[in-house]
Amino acid sequence: QVQLVESGGGSVQPGGSLRLSCAASGFTLPDYAIGWFRQAPGKQREGVLCISSSGGSIYYTDSVKGRFTISRDNTKNTVYLQMNNLKPEDTAVYYCATKRTCWSVADYWGQGTQVTVSS
């Protein structure tokens, strides 16, 4: 069955970096776009970044431009979210999800990984 497992979350100080991984199984990763989303306490889930099946990236929010990048390694069935210069407002649970395209509705979700940015 389709499975997405996020990892790499943790606690960092402002200005720090983390790399999140989304390990995929049960489907052909190169055929799908993968989106990263986040949900902060008391807030609605928001889209962060998406990588298309061809490798192009789309930012869902301007707040991470210049700080976050997305990449994929189809040989490892994994999509990465590199987060640099983290800010306290980046604190959230981060989820990855499969999408037919970056503008499609998400189909399958991972369980999420917590990112906490605090001094």
Side-chain angles (χ1 to χ4, degrees):
Q1 71 277 20
V2 174
Q3 190 172 17
L4 299 171
V5 179
E6 301 94 336
S7 61
S11 296
V12 294
Q13 292 186 339
S17 297
L18 284 173
R19 188 177 78 160
L20 306 184
S21 298
C22 173
S25 61
F27 66 102
T28 305
L29 181 62
D31 291 345
Y32 286 82
I34 299 292
W36 281 98
F37 300 79
R38 66 185 181 186
Q39 187 165 19
K43 294 187 176 182
Q44 288 190 330
R45 185 172 57 202
E46 68 168 347
V48 179
L49 262 170
C50 179
I51 188 163
S52 69
S53 58
S54 61
S57 58
I58 293 174
Y59 286 86
Y60 291 137
T61 176
D62 289 343
S63 65
V64 305
K65 284 184 178 179
R67 301 188 297 121
F68 291 13
T69 57
I70 191 169
S71 61
R72 63 192 299 155
D73 186 340
N74 290 333
T75 66
K76 296 182 178 179
N77 288 336
T78 302
V79 173
Y80 303 99
L81 182 66
Q82 178 67 45
M83 306 186 296
N84 298 326
N85 190 21
L86 283 160
K87 302 177 180 181
E89 52 264 40
D90 295 319
T91 295
V93 178
Y94 284 72
Y95 302 88
C96 62
T98 63
K99 300 160 73 67
R100 292 301 297 177
T101 74
C102 283
W103 301 113
S104 302
V105 174
D107 299 314
Y108 297 95
W109 295 83
Q111 83 290 347
T113 185
Q114 175 71 47
V115 171
T116 302
V117 185
S118 174
S119 56

